[in-house]
Amino acid sequence: MSNPKHLNPLAVVFNVFKSFKNAFYFIVTFSVLAISDGFFKYVLLGILGLAVLFIILGIISWRRFTYEVTPDQIHIKHGIFIRKDRYISRNRIQSIDLTQGIIHRPFGLTKVEIETAGNDRDVDANLSAVRYNEGIRIQEMLKENRNLATEEKVAQEPEYPKRTVNNRDLLIAGATSGSIGVIIGLFGLVFSQIENLIPDHVYDVTTRWLLAQALESLVIFALMIAIILWGLGILGSLIKYGKFQIIRYEKELFITRGLLEKKQMTIPLKRIQAVGIEENFIRQPFGLATIYVVIAGGEIGTTADAHTLLFPVIRKRKVEEFLNDILPEYNQVPHHYKRVPVRALPYYLVRSLLIPIILLILAFIFTPTIWIYLTVLFLLFLTLGYARYRTAGYHVDDQFLTVRFRVFNKETILIPKKRIQAIEVIHHFLHRKQELASFKVSILSKQSGRQIWIKELEQQDNDYLIKWLER
Amino acid sequence: MRQPPKQRIAKDAIKAWRLTALILLIIPIALTGASWYLMYTFNFLVFWIPIVLSIITLLDLIITPFFIPKWRWRRWRYEVVDEEIYIQHGILIVTQTLIPMIRIQHVDTKQGPILSKYKLATLTITTAATTHEIPALPENEATELRDLISELARVEQDDV
């Protein structure tokens, strides 16, 4: 068990891939320069030589890479020219993720990513290819709550609370995902262009007829594109969240997902900074929501996902039930919120309308014909401003601050008091006159901090919240 | 409205900020000079651009060194108690910040050439998610405060 091991030889392939990826720009620029000078033969030869070099280096680095897992730590030795010895102690490990890519799966292999806190890539450990059983064994061995023997734990597994997503829900999730918003937007744009074209050609019947034909095909074309995009969105979420399963162990959450690339994620509970419930504007009317967690420490390379999904789609009224099962620490989703006062409404409206108003003014000056579309835009943003005002609110109890807010999607975020990094109260002279102030709470998220605002809250509510934090 | 924090920062902060502002004034003055020059020699600009720039520079010359530092100093307050740090700053838009002591990761003091001329130092307080500054404290006070905060913050932290 404790003698150093090599990765599966398939790791060589990954090494070579990686070398090529790193050298990609170099190769491309060099090739382009050389080919234009008519040295094609040499370029080919060069690439071939490079490939041989990479393969040799890949094999050597595979030979040199050994890892050794003991109950207390993982020890990794690697490096061709500069030898590196790395010890990561079990306590420092934040999470161990297993990912099976499409190359891994036929060979029964998996990638193991061991993460520590902080964004320093160099302190993380990456085993690019090991047998799946071995991956599981490493995960079990380095797990935080390894108080039970491994076999015992496997035997007990069915008793842990578990949730899965069925295909119907997954389809709904895909169909209502944010990408449909983009499509509607595109649609709107296309239609506005079409209508804009018509008046210019009204008097010429032939052109008009031709244009109508063109319009028809244009509309069909746009419709088709929209449907295809929508379908892709659904397919995307099926692939990404297919076979989704979340299990709650004593001290961690365990998520498996993915049809093509199977991903297993372990989220230690102590790493969770806050829990959020997001209802995007398409899902909200259907009473659907998404549950996510804000966690500290970086999942390497994935800067795009600001938060980690706990469940892709769920009925709003089932949220509490879900949290009760899976994350009872966060099951207090409040029903009543202290909202911002009516005198805050003008601020919300003005803020939302700033951009449309500027556009409208510009439109009146330069192209008065399109003002009608901008009026629609204006009304949309007016609604958004009002919706933001309606949504903004908070609730506190002993342990939690819950903030409800909307940027575009309605979000409810539950923040434990001990996870609050700092709070700020911000007001300008108009605010002071009206006894209003904006409230800002900072929590830790993957990359850096995340700030959550309640704009124009009652001054005395702010005081109350400060006192609450001090307590 | 909540009481503002009790402590003020060093009065010399005004002088330090004024000096900084005066040095930075080189930029708008140079720009204005350049615009006049371009207009006269090459007829390069329309006449009102240098005029507007001159007016802005003149206002800048009066306001940034002679009023803003004073207003800024008047608003700047801080307070360090066992459990938290409470900071207030901002001229038109006032920000009051509350940082729980146990969330503090580290405190630094730093000092540039201007602050050092007036024997002042800036205290930087860092949590895992945010960074806060108390600018222009007297050197020794900054050091003491830094040590005090790092002492108070030295409690068992549960995970970031």
Side-chain angles (χ1 to χ4, degrees):
Chain A
M1 183 174 274
S2 61
N3 42 346
K5 284 181 179 168
H6 287 291
L7 298 177
N8 188 285
L10 199 71
V12 175
V13 177
F14 291 112
N15 286 341
V16 174
F17 267 149
K18 210 169 127 193
S19 307
F20 262 112
K21 213 170 94 186
N22 290 341
F24 182 74
Y25 290 109
F26 172 72
I27 293 173
V28 167
T29 35
F30 200 73
S31 308
V32 168
L33 285 177
I35 286 170
S36 62
D37 282 351
F39 286 102
F40 185 68
K41 204 164 51 178
Y42 297 103
V43 170
L44 217 64
L45 219 65
I47 291 178
L48 216 70
L50 216 57
V52 172
L53 183 72
F54 283 162
I55 290 169
I56 293 170
L57 284 179
I59 292 171
I60 297 175
S61 78
W62 169 72
R63 286 292 309 162
R64 286 281 160 78
F65 191 106
T66 62
Y67 68 95
E68 188 182 344
V69 184
T70 62
D72 297 323
Q73 65 190 13
I74 178 164
H75 175 199
I76 289 173
K77 273 184 171 176
H78 67 124
I80 299 175
F81 301 111
I82 302 162
R83 303 282 189 88
K84 289 172 197 156
D85 255 3
R86 180 184 300 154
Y87 296 85
I88 301 174
S89 88
R90 213 189 67 201
N91 303 332
R92 290 288 120 215
I93 293 173
Q94 290 274 5
S95 75
I96 306 160
D97 294 352
L98 302 185
T99 314
Q100 289 184 283
I102 19 180
I103 302 175
H104 289 106
R105 295 184 76 180
F107 300 97
L109 300 174
T110 181
K111 179 165 86 177
V112 183
E113 287 166 298
I114 297 165
E115 288 168 17
T116 54
N119 295 326
D120 191 357
R121 225 169 245 261
D122 286 340
V123 295
D124 296 339
N126 235 324
L127 310 178
S128 58
V130 294
R131 296 234 147 258
Y132 186 70
N133 300 345
E134 174 73 2
I136 296 286
R137 197 182 64 86
I138 295 171
Q139 202 174 32
E140 286 298 325
M141 206 142 164
L142 295 175
K143 247 178 202 172
E144 181 88 26
N145 53 337
R146 214 178 36 86
N147 40 15
L148 301 158
T150 315
E151 308 89 80
E152 226 177 313
K153 195 154 187 187
V154 173
Q156 276 189 5
E157 208 149 293
E159 287 170 31
Y160 288 107
K162 184 165 123 182
R163 286 295 180 98
T164 51
V165 179
N166 61 31
N167 286 337
R168 195 181 58 97
D169 287 355
L170 215 54
L171 277 175
I172 294 173
T176 57
S177 74
S179 63
I180 197 175
V182 179
I183 294 163
I184 292 171
L186 267 174
F187 237 170
L189 202 74
V190 169
F191 271 119
S192 71
Q193 285 306 314
I194 290 166
E195 299 227 359
N196 213 3
L197 286 169
I198 296 172
D200 293 334
H201 304 274
V202 178
Y203 36 83
D204 193 338
V205 185
T206 345
T207 342
R208 190 176 158 198
W209 184 80
L210 271 174
L211 197 73
Q213 292 304 306
L215 272 182
E216 211 164 78
S217 53
L218 208 68
V219 168
I220 291 170
F221 187 62
L223 205 73
M224 256 162 60
I225 286 190
I227 288 170
I228 288 169
L229 280 178
W230 195 38
L232 283 179
I234 296 174
L235 198 70
S237 67
L238 275 180
I239 289 171
K240 197 171 174 195
Y241 298 115
K243 293 193 181 153
F244 189 98
Q245 177 182 290
I246 179 166
I247 305 174
R248 161 65 190 257
Y249 294 121
E250 270 113 273
K251 286 184 180 167
E252 66 211 7
L253 296 171
F254 183 68
I255 297 172
T256 352
R257 65 168 170 84
L259 277 185
L260 291 183
E261 192 185 61
K262 237 172 121 186
K263 186 142 188 156
Q264 302 190 350
M265 252 186 316
T266 317
I267 306 169
L269 292 189
K270 58 171 193 176
R271 211 174 125 201
I272 297 176
Q273 304 290 317
V275 171
I277 300 154
E278 185 173 352
E279 299 158 69
N280 80 21
F281 57 91
I282 301 155
R283 285 178 189 159
Q284 201 187 339
F286 297 107
L288 295 170
T290 299
I291 304 176
Y292 67 86
V293 283
V294 181
I295 49 180
E299 191 176 326
I300 18 179
T302 54
T303 39
D305 285 344
H307 38 240
T308 306
L309 217 60
L310 275 197
F311 212 66
V313 71
I314 192 168
R315 297 228 155 268
K316 184 83 197 297
R317 59 191 149 80
K318 293 262 174 81
V319 167
E320 226 164 327
E321 197 185 309
F322 172 87
L323 288 174
N324 242 332
D325 273 8
I326 301 290
L327 209 57
E329 293 82 355
Y330 289 82
N331 68 352
Q332 302 291 326
V333 185
H335 297 285
H336 300 287
Y337 292 85
K338 185 82 174 51
R339 287 187 25 212
V340 295
V342 188
R343 55 185 196 283
L345 182 59
Y347 293 99
Y348 278 82
L349 294 183
V350 167
R351 243 196 318 270
S352 302
L353 288 176
L354 217 55
I355 295 168
I357 285 175
I358 292 171
L359 285 179
L360 213 58
I361 291 169
L362 286 178
F364 269 122
I365 298 170
F366 295 110
T367 49
T369 45
I370 62 162
W371 67 274
I372 183 98
Y373 307 110
L374 287 166
T375 313
V376 173
L377 191 77
F378 184 86
L379 289 175
L380 276 176
F381 272 86
L382 192 75
T383 321
L384 180 67
Y386 185 70
R388 280 178 180 158
Y389 155 77
R390 288 282 301 184
T391 315
Y394 76 94
H395 179 270
V396 277
D397 56 30
D398 282 358
Q399 295 305 318
F400 284 92
L401 166 65
T402 308
V403 179
R404 198 176 63 175
F405 66 100
R406 176 194 297 276
V407 180
F408 290 103
N409 301 333
K410 182 177 166 190
E411 282 185 63
T412 310
I413 185 158
L414 289 93
I415 310 162
K417 191 191 226 170
K418 59 174 186 173
R419 295 301 191 198
I420 293 176
Q421 301 284 344
I423 60 179
E424 276 177 46
V425 176
I426 297 151
H427 41 80
H428 53 66
F429 59 98
L430 275 178
H431 282 160
R432 288 194 282 281
K433 217 175 235 171
Q434 292 182 285
E435 296 189 347
L436 293 169
S438 297
F439 180 79
K440 180 170 121 185
V441 52
S442 302
I443 54 171
L444 188 55
S445 70
K446 264 186 186 166
Q447 292 310 310
S448 53
R450 176 170 175 197
Q451 271 76 37
I452 293 150
W453 288 86
I454 316 173
K455 294 268 176 83
E456 281 87 29
L457 196 58
E458 198 87 63
Q459 185 65 261
Q460 65 200 52
D461 285 339
N462 277 304
D463 292 348
Y464 176 72
L465 282 171
I466 290 179
K467 278 212 191 72
W468 170 80
L469 186 70
E470 284 176 327
R471 239 185 299 132
Chain B
M1 197 160 113
R2 192 187 153 89
Q3 284 298 308
K6 293 193 186 74
Q7 303 282 329
R8 282 180 185 281
I9 58 173
K11 188 117 197 190
D12 277 349
I14 300 175
K15 288 184 200 159
W17 287 335
R18 181 171 299 156
L19 187 60
T20 316
L22 284 171
I23 291 170
L24 285 177
L25 270 172
I26 291 171
I27 299 166
I29 288 172
L31 280 177
T32 317
S35 69
W36 281 111
Y37 177 76
L38 282 176
M39 196 191 75
Y40 273 113
T41 46
F42 301 110
N43 266 340
F44 186 64
L45 294 166
V46 246
F47 72 97
W48 53 267
I49 292 181
I51 293 176
V52 170
L53 274 178
S54 305
I55 293 168
I56 293 173
T57 309
L58 205 67
L59 284 176
D60 199 17
L61 196 69
I62 300 164
I63 294 170
T64 47
F66 298 107
F67 289 94
I68 289 183
K70 213 179 274 176
W71 293 336
R72 206 171 147 205
W73 179 82
R74 209 174 290 153
R75 188 77 78 186
W76 244 107
R77 307 275 185 95
Y78 70 94
E79 197 173 334
V80 178
V81 293
D82 287 359
E83 300 276 298
E84 78 229 356
I85 297 174
Y86 180 31
I87 297 171
Q88 175 191 279
H89 68 97
I91 298 168
L92 289 178
I93 298 168
V94 181
T95 307
Q96 292 167 324
T97 310
L98 198 74
I99 313 153
M101 208 54 95
I102 51 162
R103 297 283 113 207
I104 292 167
Q105 301 259 324
H106 58 262
V107 266
D108 306 312
T109 47
K110 64 177 182 194
Q111 193 179 42
I114 295 170
L115 286 185
S116 125
K117 180 178 181 314
Y118 294 101
K119 295 195 165 30
L120 299 174
T122 296
L123 191 76
T124 311
I125 301 148
T126 314
T127 72
T130 56
T131 308
H132 310 272
E133 269 190 359
I134 305 179
L137 290 168
E139 264 171 357
N140 52 344
E141 210 174 296
T143 329
E144 276 167 32
L145 203 59
R146 183 192 61 204
D147 296 343
L148 173 70
I149 293 170
S150 76
E151 189 65 43
L152 291 171
R154 200 178 297 154
V155 237
E156 190 73 24
Q157 291 204 2
D158 72 37
D159 263 291
V160 277

